[in-house]
Amino acid sequence: DVISNSAIGLYLRMGDIWIDDVTIDASTVFGAFLVSLDTITINNLTATTDPELSASSAYDVWGTSDGGVSGTGVLAVSDDMQISGLDVSGFNNCGLFLQPASSGVTGVANVSNATITNTGRYGVFSASMDATFIDSSVTETRVVDEEADRIDESLGADVLCYYVNYYAAIYNSE
């Protein structure tokens, strides 16, 4: 199945969520917005957009109650996630966002064969998850234009790694 030119490519809430062989192209807010108290299973999902189309939130508000997490390729909120064959690119804030649905628990996410490229801010943002990545890659994370003054990229990758929570391939917090 192919979904094109939408604000949110897939918006699925509650019950077991099963996605198999879906392509989402040119979504502006989220490629896929998935929230469930049950299991989320993804097999072969592609979510791509042009960075010129993707929502872009200021660094200070992204991830807060004021700013939300728009500009994300795949947002998955569940205590149990099985993700295989994921391809995400072009979103300005995050490629893959993982978070448990239940408060006070550590969720589980098993991710394999994922390719996340050309995302702003984070390739993967994971909060309170026991996440495992196998045969996966995150490349070409980029500074979103309006935030270029926050970081001097000429410092080099070895120094930029010390900027915690700025721009990361994979960011995990408890």
Side-chain angles (χ1 to χ4, degrees):
D1 296 319
V2 177
I3 301 165
S4 295
N5 303 310
S6 61
I8 301 172
L10 284 175
Y11 182 90
L12 303 172
R13 294 188 62 136
M14 301 308 165
D16 285 327
I17 294 174
W18 181 276
I19 297 169
D20 195 12
D21 291 318
V22 174
T23 297
I24 302 165
D25 181 49
S27 59
T28 57
V29 182
F30 294 98
F33 186 100
L34 314 170
V35 178
S36 178
L37 294 173
D38 297 309
T39 301
I40 293 175
T41 304
I42 297 172
N43 291 308
N44 302 316
L45 171 64
T46 298
T48 61
T49 196
D50 182 327
E52 294 293 321
L53 298 175
S54 176
S56 182
S57 301
Y59 180 84
D60 296 342
V61 299
W62 188 83
T64 68
S65 59
D66 292 333
V69 291
S70 63
T72 297
V74 176
L75 177 137
V77 177
S78 173
D79 297 342
D80 180 22
M81 300 177 221
Q82 307 300 316
I83 301 170
S84 178
L86 180 67
D87 185 3
V88 177
S89 69
F91 291 88
N92 283 333
N93 291 322
C94 183
L96 175 62
F97 182 99
L98 304 171
Q99 181 176 314
S102 303
S103 62
V105 303
T106 300
V108 175
N110 294 307
V111 181
S112 63
N113 300 310
T115 301
I116 299 169
T117 187
N118 189 26
T119 58
R121 192 167 291 127
Y122 303 108
V124 177
F125 183 93
S126 171
S128 300
M129 297 297 296
D130 182 4
T132 302
F133 290 84
I134 298 171
D135 295 328
S136 299
S137 65
V138 178
T139 59
E140 300 177 40
T141 56
R142 58 188 157 71
V143 174
V144 179
D145 289 342
E146 67 267 13
E147 298 171 353
D149 61 342
R150 293 184 64 85
I151 296 178
D152 180 357
E153 291 185 87
S154 68
L155 295 173
D158 55 333
V159 175
L160 289 175
C161 288
Y162 291 106
Y163 285 91
V164 176
N165 192 22
Y166 269 39
Y167 299 91
I170 299 175
Y171 176 83
N172 187 46
S173 70
E174 290 189 24

